[in-house]
Amino acid sequence: MIALKKLRELTLTAATSAERPLHLSAASGLVCLDSTMYVIADDELHLGVFSTTDDGPGRLVRLFDGVLPEEKAARKRQKPDLEALTFLPAFEDFHHGALLVVGSGSGPNRRRGALLGLDPLGRISGEPRSLDLSAMLVPLAAAFAEVNVEGAVVAGDELCLFQRGNKQHADNAIIRYRLAEVVEVVTGRRTDVLRSVKIGRLDLGHVEGVPLCFTDATALPGGDMVFSAVAEDTDDAFNDGACVGAAIGIVGNDGRLRFVRRLDRPYKIEGIHAELDGNRLDLLAVTDADDPDIAAALYAATIAI
């Protein structure tokens, strides 16, 4: 089993309101660029920005206008459910690439996204652009009983979205799009339906009868992808459940499952970053506490592959 080491909690210099805590609680996606770590939270309208060189509190960058309710159930209904975060390599006016934020697609208000340009050091440059990703996400309803995008990865000339299953519909899948066509969507040059070029379904196994399901992914050199998965005891894409297990695995660039390794504890990992050094894989992961009063945490692990 994989043992994780806790590095820090995701504290903040300022909250989004006087009622909100000084931390992120529902971390759901992770990207590390140079000395900066970017984290999205599925119950916020903001992106968290943290240093990778110290454990000081991070800051928030607003992605969307508006205010979410403080009451948990109302907040859950109205949130954009930002679940996937990835780095897009340089394109058009984004000479140093951009961050792409993607909502889960599990409801009409969850089909939003954001695009943030970067400078040469991987820092945010300019104002975030709000995106309507319905052209990509609405067609997925024809392929899945419940759409629930949890990860996004650029692999070569494709953008891969990771569909998360649940106990009722254990339908994990990698949805592949031509990256050039995705760029047309996020830059506003294309508004018609964008269909995937391939959907590959994968069985990740079970823990105590609950299926392991994708929660995030990140790319390795050569096109392989590292993913995180949890066994959450819930029958749908909306309601939370007890996390009875968690795992990390690799999907090869051919779309085949290379391995799945359990974590020693049922951490609800929802964001992952990986760096390959020979046969050693260095991992960073962030968690979703499912409780606004509990801070999301950053963990690390090293495994041999």
Side-chain angles (χ1 to χ4, degrees), residues 28-276:
S28 57
L30 171 66
V31 167
C32 295
L33 297 174
D34 292 328
S35 61
T36 306
M37 179 172 70
Y38 297 103
V39 180
I40 49 170
D42 66 27
D43 65 346
E44 297 286 357
L45 303 175
H46 298 72
L47 174 76
V49 183
F50 302 84
S51 171
T52 59
T53 59
D54 64 61
D55 59 0
R59 64 185 178 90
L60 294 175
V61 174
R62 178 174 282 278
L63 300 176
F64 306 119
D65 293 334
V67 177
L68 292 174
E70 295 297 334
E71 195 273 323
K72 185 175 181 179
R75 193 178 189 90
K76 193 176 187 71
R77 287 192 299 270
Q78 295 185 30
K79 69 182 185 179
D81 201 28
L82 305 177
E83 291 285 359
L85 177 68
T86 193
F87 170 74
L88 298 181
F91 61 96
E92 299 186 10
D93 295 333
F94 296 86
H95 304 298
H96 305 290
L99 294 173
L100 175 64
V101 181
V102 182
S104 67
S106 57
N109 59 312
R110 298 180 173 195
R111 296 173 186 145
R112 302 171 73 182
L115 189 67
L116 300 97
L118 301 169
D119 70 10
L121 297 179
R123 299 172 302 197
I124 294 172
S125 176
E127 294 297 316
R129 296 185 186 180
S130 179
L131 305 175
D132 180 355
L133 298 178
S134 298
M136 290 176 58
L137 299 178
V138 168
L140 296 181
F144 303 104
E146 290 183 290
V147 178
N148 191 13
V149 172
E150 291 273 334
V153 174
V154 172
D157 60 357
E158 293 182 324
L159 175 75
C160 301
L161 298 183
F162 281 65
Q163 157 75 14
R164 177 180 178 177
N166 55 60
K167 194 175 179 180
Q168 184 70 26
H169 303 286
D171 206 3
N172 293 294
I174 300 175
I175 308 151
R176 298 176 182 266
Y177 300 88
R178 295 182 181 88
L179 181 58
E181 294 182 343
V182 174
V183 167
E184 291 180 341
V185 171
V186 301
T187 55
R189 292 189 288 106
R190 177 171 180 164
T191 57
D192 60 314
V193 169
L194 178 62
R195 301 197 181 277
S196 61
V197 295
K198 183 179 180 180
I199 296 177
R201 288 174 164 81
L202 293 168
D203 183 350
L204 307 182
H206 292 69
V207 179
E208 299 179 12
V210 180
L212 284 164
C213 297
F214 288 133
T215 58
D216 198 25
T218 187
L220 294 176
D224 290 355
M225 293 174 281
V226 179
F227 65 83
S228 57
V230 301
E232 186 174 6
D233 194 0
T234 179
D235 290 332
D236 57 51
F238 186 83
N239 292 304
D240 298 323
C243 182
V244 299
I248 291 170
I250 292 183
V251 175
N253 58 11
D254 57 0
R256 296 182 180 179
L257 189 63
R258 287 182 52 187
F259 67 76
V260 181
R261 296 182 187 173
R262 291 270 305 277
L263 302 186
D264 61 343
R265 297 182 183 182
Y267 300 102
K268 193 181 179 187
I269 292 176
E270 295 223 2
I272 193 165
H273 171 78
E275 294 186 7
L276 187 62

